[in-house]
Amino acid sequence: MAVLVAGGAGFIGSHLVDRLLAEGEDVVVADKLCFGDRNIRHLLDDSELGRKGRFRFYMLELADQECVDKVFAENKIDTVYHLAANSDIRKGGEEPAVDWSDTLKTTRTILEGMRKVNVRNLFFASTSAVYGERFDERLSEITGGLQPISYYGGAKLASEALISSYTYMCNLHSVVFRFPNVIGPRLTHGVIYDFMNKLKQSPHKLKILGNGTQCKPYIYVSDLIDAIAHLTKEWKSGQDVFNISVNSAGTTVTRIAEIVVGEMGLDGVQFEYTGGDCGWKGDVPRFEYDISKILATGWKPRHTSDEAVRQTVTDMIAAKM
């Protein structure tokens, strides 16, 4: 039997694929390569993995039911890790169709593909964006009245609802993680990526969206992968939802800028703020998670938010991004 990682060539997905292969799983990756194949090139070039049938790659459109059904028909899959989505909230804000196609529609096609061949184990990557703007609450998995403010958050919440219904109707075992910002090696976009690129082009000034006080938790990707591996070792009946984050305060945008500037060895950089309490329409400037549920399972993050930011900058400098 094999596991399917939908979106396995992406930033988080590629790290998960590496872990699953290291643990002895046979892995099928399906991805349309929005960011190219650089994250899995080491696997594509490993002919031994292919010969032994331990890794198989499909370049396809996961929003297309026929393509998804083909993957299930050609492989004996017993578990699906669904990480396929538009991962760029700002891009989705400019092009709403991206979140419909790449996030919600992929969830529907994957669930239908599973139903047709009776695959029952599902992990789904959701997001803190499903909560919307909840500034003065400590958000738990049972917080009600969810009102996402971005198309991305809306598509993820709708995906959770679909998964809930399919879980009941098809007797699935489903695990849903609501992520904050995930960072680390192979990062493809986001504030750290943007700051480093801006400073390479203009090392004396840095444009910062908003007023710089936006504060969010940033989790290092290896901590997240540890949590996914931990919570999917055994599959339980029904659906379980977990907030996942760091066990520390978040990091402000200005603090991220300071860390990036320091790690890049720059001096005298002038910060220029665009103003306002959020970076763009649909951005949630701050939130606080309750992660007591996942901590109770025995998992705990190894990095604080600031440590995750600093390590990511170091990773990206080493990779000469």
Side-chain angles (χ1 to χ4, degrees):
M1 303 298 285
V3 300
L4 168 64
V5 183
F11 163 51
I12 299 172
S14 64
H15 285 281
L16 177 61
V17 170
D18 285 343
R19 173 65 66 87
L20 291 169
L21 287 169
E23 292 181 348
E25 299 283 1
D26 296 335
V27 179
V28 177
V29 169
D31 199 295
K32 65 178 181 179
L33 300 182
C34 288
F35 298 103
D37 66 359
R38 63 183 183 182
N39 292 336
I40 58 168
R41 197 168 297 151
H42 61 293
L43 301 174
L44 296 172
D45 292 341
D46 191 334
S47 59
E48 185 177 352
L49 278 175
R51 282 200 304 272
K52 292 184 176 180
R54 296 203 51 229
F55 175 77
R56 190 172 188 185
F57 174 70
Y58 288 81
M59 181 178 173
L60 52 76
E61 175 55 75
L62 282 160
D64 185 312
Q65 191 67 61
E66 288 187 8
C67 290
V68 171
D69 290 348
K70 172 183 171 67
V71 175
F72 282 105
E74 294 182 355
N75 300 275
K76 294 181 178 180
I77 293 167
D78 65 357
T79 297
V80 175
Y81 291 87
H82 176 20
L83 294 95
N86 166 42
S87 58
D88 189 339
I89 297 179
R90 289 176 64 187
K91 179 182 177 182
E94 297 166 357
E95 303 174 47
V98 173
D99 284 306
W100 155 246
S101 177
D102 292 1
T103 304
L104 181 54
K105 199 172 179 183
T106 60
T107 300
R108 200 265 179 183
T109 59
I110 289 168
L111 287 167
E112 268 297 283
M114 293 176 64
R115 182 187 66 82
K116 291 174 182 178
V117 296
N118 197 32
V119 175
R120 297 176 65 191
N121 300 329
L122 173 67
F123 171 85
F124 177 63
S126 190
T127 171
S128 59
V130 301
Y131 290 104
E133 289 185 320
R134 310 291 283 269
F135 298 150
D136 301 316
E137 297 180 60
R138 188 171 173 82
L139 304 171
S140 77
E141 294 84 355
I142 59 172
T143 297
L146 304 188
Q147 295 181 310
I149 63 170
S150 64
Y151 303 128
Y152 170 76
K156 285 289 192 179
L157 184 56
S159 293
E160 285 194 27
L162 271 179
I163 291 168
S164 177
S165 60
Y166 272 78
T167 296
Y168 180 82
M169 295 300 295
C170 303
N171 298 314
L172 302 185
H173 314 137
S174 58
V175 175
V176 175
F177 273 17
R178 291 173 176 166
F179 302 168
N181 290 18
V182 185
I183 55 178
R186 306 176 189 166
L187 198 62
T188 56
H189 63 275
V191 63
I192 297 173
Y193 185 90
D194 290 345
F195 282 176
M196 293 184 73
N197 278 319
K198 286 178 180 178
L199 288 166
K200 283 183 177 181
Q201 296 170 15
S202 180
H204 302 298
K205 64 180 179 179
L206 178 63
K207 181 180 178 181
I208 298 175
L209 300 180
N211 58 20
T213 65
Q214 307 97 301
C215 185
K216 303 176 187 179
Y218 292 80
I219 186 170
Y220 196 65
V221 66
S222 63
D223 288 343
L224 171 62
I225 299 304
D226 286 344
I228 295 174
H230 178 62
L231 267 299
T232 58
K233 282 182 180 177
E234 297 180 3
W235 295 92
K236 300 177 182 178
S237 297
Q239 178 172 315
D240 217 348
V241 179
F242 295 90
N243 286 343
I244 180 164
S245 186
V246 292
N247 199 13
S248 67
T251 308
T252 68
V253 174
T254 294
R255 181 61 184 143
I256 293 172
E258 292 169 348
I259 292 172
V260 170
V261 167
E263 293 299 317
M264 291 181 71
L266 302 175
D267 293 313
V269 178
Q270 181 180 355
F271 294 168
E272 299 178 351
Y273 298 94
T274 62
D277 63 358
C278 62
W280 61 88
K281 194 172 181 65
D283 180 30
V284 177
R286 66 182 187 276
F287 69 91
E288 185 179 3
Y289 257 176
D290 179 347
I291 62 168
S292 57
K293 180 178 178 180
I294 196 166
L295 292 176
T297 70
W299 170 86
K300 63 180 180 180
R302 291 175 292 170
H303 300 79
T304 66
S305 184
D306 280 11
E307 288 170 348
V309 170
R310 190 177 301 280
Q311 184 59 55
T312 298
V313 177
T314 301
D315 295 334
M316 295 176 74
I317 291 172
K320 298 181 180 178
M321 59 76 63

